[in-house]
Structure formats: structure tokens, C-alpha cells
Amino acid sequence: MRKKIFIVGLLVFGLLMAGQAFAHTPLCSCYDNGDGTITCEGGFSDGSSAAGVEMRVLNSSGNVLIKGRMNEDSEFTFKKPDGSYKVEFDAGPGHVVEVPGSEITE
Amino acid sequence: MKKLMFIFVGLAVLFLSVPAYAHFQMLYTPEIALEKGGKLDFKIVWTHPFADEHTMEMTTPVAFYVLSQRGEGKVKKTDMKGKLKPITWTGKANSARAYEASVKVRSMGDHMFCFVPGPYYDKHEEAWMQQITKTIVNVGGIPGNWAEPAGLETEIVPLDKPYALWTGNVFRGVVLSKGKPVPNCDIEVEYINHDVLMDKNAFARSNYVEAPQDAFVTMTIKANANGEFSFGIPRAGWWGFAALGVGPEKEHKGEKFNADAVIWIKAVDMK
């Protein structure tokens, strides 16, 4: 009986902890450097760093053209693809931000 | 002779009854919670933002820079003094020299603009005045250094994001002089009571609200023993806070000198 309560307690605790980790919102914004490259900046609404977050650049048919990670300054620079594209900032399930290439300007 | 005396007394009363509205160093740009980076236009005016009864002549500014930080990243300082251009600002009563600046901010995060005007001699008070002013802009919702001191001689450090306030929120701050809280100081609060006409370098003539009495024009509040204050924001728009005479310097050119710490906030209606 005790053990059961303990397990339930542990589960509830785990759930609460997980909830806390999702209390912030992922944020990402990109701009055209005007030299054929694009820079994306990322972060979270609580100010925490996005260093190491996976970044993907996809073409209109959904194929990954470029894959990389946010650097220690939470920035990611890539060569601007030809044609239409979108950028994905992937900080895990429920934490993906999509930036359409058409919204990326100088 | 008696008539002359009468006129003289009348005039004296008239002058004396001119209410002493608060001076405010405006560091204004229309929007401080931006979706994306871009060009920001500042109007830097030395005025009385509620009543607009007198615009004061600015002297050459001492400093204008921005401290930018995204999340936990490094704080970056960018000097903006070279961007300042003199303009003539037209208020209800007169015109006077003011400044404008067109600057670019790109990065997401906080951009803390700091402006140190040249000292201004107030004949009425027979003292020099200087209002060291901060306006904090955010791009994209990532917070940065908004709650950190800029390291100014005197400043108001916000305890609530000055760019993310709904009407009815409370705005809190701490008054610092040389980095230390100033207990029990006086803080004047004023509302920008007119449209700011960016392309005309003027205030619109019509007021948003009428004050029922002079104590509502410049509201004076007190900091507590820890130098903290709070203010409930009753209306959307721009509110200025000036902590009076809190700067460490007390003398300039052999005369009394008052350095005030000013911060601007913008509240938005929930709709």
C-alpha cells in the first residue's frame, strides 16, 4: 500500500516537473544578411539559451536541405537556398517554431 | 499710481499661479514591443508631457547608447550618440530645440536605450537639471537585461517589464544612485496626454484627458525605505517616472544641480 502511494506520488511529481519544463515558449526569428546568407536567432520566453537546438532548412516539398544546431550565442547562419523554403527551430515535441522563407527579409 | 500697483499685483498673482508641472525628458519611439527588429525613430524632447504648456530648450546631449541582450547572452553596448540630430519641437505654447535619432535594432531580446542630456539651467528654480533617461525596447519576446542596472549615475531599474504592461497592471521599480537604492525619494509620474506627431515634430493640440485638479497632472508618489515604488496604470499609453534629485552630483558651475532618474513605460489595453 505504502509502495503504491509512493509510486503514484513519484508519477505525479514527474508529471509536475515535466509541466514546468513546458512553461516557456520557444521563439525564433530570422533575417537576411543581404550577402546571400540568413541568420536565425532563437531563445525561450524565460530568457534561457537555445544553444544546441536543432535547426532545419526545408524546401517546398519538405526535403531537408540544411541541418545544423544553434551555436552558443543561440544563432544559426546558413546559405540562402534558391526557391521557396522554410526554417524549423526544433527544441523537442511541442517546441517547434516554423519560419517561412517569405517572411525573412533584410 | 494705485492703478499701476494694482496691475503689478495682478501680474504677480498670475505668474505665481502658473502651476509647476513636472519637467520630463522624453525618449519616445512609437512602439517598444516589436515583433521583429528594424528601424526605430526616436523623438527626444524636454517638455511637460501632460499639460504641454512649455517646451524647454535642450543643450548638447552627453550620451546616447543602447545595451542589448538576448536571453542569457552577452550584453552588447552600441553607441548611438552620432545618430542624434537637432530638431525643433513644437508644443502648444512654444517651440524649442529637441533631438531625433533613427537607429536600427536587429537582434531579438531587450534593447535598453540610455540618454544623458546636457545640463539645463532652470531660472525659476535657480538650479541645474539633468534627467538621465531610459526606454527599454523588446524584440520578439525573448527577455534580456530589462531588470539589470545600466550602470548610470542614477537610474530607475524596473521590476516589471516596461514594454509588456496591460492597462491596469502595476508597474514597480527601484530608484538607484551610484548603484545603491535611494530610500523614501519623491517620484513624479506623468502621462503623455497627446498624440505624438512623428513627422511634424509636434504634439497634437487636443488632450486625451482633462485633469480634475493640479495634483492629477503630475502625480507625486514616494519610494519606500528600500527605494522601491509601485504605480497602478489607469490608462493605455505612455507613462513617465522621474525620481527627483537622486543623482550623486549636487553642484554644477557653483550652483545647485539636480540629477533625476527617468524611465518610460507603455501600457496596452486588453482587447
Side-chain angles (χ1 to χ4, degrees), chain A:
Chain A
M1 182 66 195
R2 259 224 181 119
K3 211 170 175 184
K4 217 174 193 173
I5 288 177
F6 181 68
I7 287 171
V8 170
L10 208 74
L11 273 173
V12 167
F13 181 68
L15 222 85
L16 282 179
M17 286 304 284
Q20 206 158 44
F22 287 99
H24 55 229
T25 313
L27 299 159
C28 181
S29 172
C30 308
Y31 49 82
D32 192 326
N33 291 312
D35 61 356
T37 65
I38 306 289
T39 296
C40 297
E41 301 172 336
F44 296 90
S45 55
D46 64 352
S48 58
S49 167
V53 167
E54 185 170 302
M55 298 295 293
R56 289 185 297 268
V57 183
L58 296 90
N59 64 13
S60 50
S61 35
N63 298 321
V64 177
L65 304 173
I66 304 161
K67 206 165 144 177
R69 291 194 181 274
M70 282 287 187
N71 68 12
E72 57 176 23
D73 295 325
S74 307
E75 287 178 12
F76 177 64
T77 301
F78 59 93
K79 198 172 151 284
K80 186 180 177 176
D82 299 324
S84 66
Y85 67 100
K86 68 173 178 181
V87 181
E88 281 183 358
F89 169 95
D90 187 355
H95 276 66
V96 179
V97 182
E98 271 189 26
V99 185
S102 57
E103 285 176 16
I104 300 173
T105 52
E106 270 189 52

Side-chain angles (χ1 to χ4, degrees), chain B residues 72 80 98 162 172 245-246:
Chain B
E72 295 153 348
M80 300 271 178
R172 299 167 304 151
V246 287

Side-chain angles (χ1 to χ4, degrees), chain B residues 8-231:
Chain B
F8 180 76
V9 170
L11 274 176
V13 167
L14 213 89
F15 275 110
L16 284 171
S17 68
V18 171
Y21 296 142
H23 301 47
F24 266 92
Q25 180 63 61
M26 275 174 58
L27 179 55
Y28 177 90
T29 186
E31 191 50 69
I32 52 173
L34 304 164
E35 281 291 336
K36 292 187 98 170
K39 195 169 71 87
L40 290 182
D41 290 314
F42 279 95
K43 300 292 178 184
I44 303 168
V45 187
W46 181 217
T47 186
H48 305 84
F50 191 94
D52 183 27
E53 97 284 13
H54 186 62
T55 311
M56 290 153 292
E57 192 81 5
M58 286 181 68
T59 60
T60 307
V62 173
F64 181 43
Y65 57 87
V66 61
L67 299 170
S68 304
Q69 188 185 31
R70 173 159 38 88
E72 295 153 348
K74 266 195 224 95
V75 177
K76 205 176 110 196
K77 180 176 175 173
T78 312
D79 191 39
M80 300 271 178
K81 203 180 162 192
K83 305 269 182 193
L84 292 169
K85 289 197 185 95
I87 54 168
T88 300
W89 188 264
T90 305
K92 213 183 285 176
N94 67 321
S95 295
R97 180 158 74 142
Y99 286 85
E100 67 179 7
S102 186
V103 305
K104 214 168 177 184
V105 294
R106 182 153 247 187
S107 184
M108 295 172 93
D110 288 335
H111 300 275
M112 189 189 292
F113 287 89
C114 302
F115 180 75
V116 183
Y120 169 85
Y121 190 71
D122 190 304
K123 285 181 200 134
H124 185 71
E125 293 187 22
E126 295 183 344
W128 292 91
M129 293 183 74
Q130 185 182 46
Q131 288 198 332
I132 298 169
T133 304
K134 292 197 323 199
T135 296
I136 303 169
V137 174
N138 178 268
V139 177
I142 296 183
N145 53 341
W146 66 272
E148 295 298 323
L152 293 158
E153 285 278 282
T154 182
E155 65 185 299
I156 294 173
V157 175
L159 296 171
D160 302 285
K161 287 175 185 164
Y163 50 79
L165 294 162
W166 295 110
T167 310
N169 268 164
V170 167
F171 176 70
R172 299 167 304 151
V174 190
V175 181
L176 300 183
S177 178
K178 281 226 175 271
K180 297 252 164 34
V182 185
N184 312 314
C185 58
D186 285 333
I187 297 139
E188 289 186 333
V189 187
E190 264 198 35
Y191 180 60
I192 299 184
N193 198 18
H194 334 264
D195 281 336
V196 178
L197 309 174
M198 294 297 283
D199 47 353
K200 291 194 173 123
N201 288 333
F203 280 129
R205 288 296 156 98
S206 59
N207 298 342
Y208 298 141
V209 293
E210 295 302 325
Q213 192 243 25
D214 274 343
F216 292 80
V217 174
T218 304
M219 284 165 283
T220 308
I221 62 172
K222 290 262 179 194
N224 66 16
N226 301 318
E228 299 161 356
F229 67 89
S230 53
F231 180 80

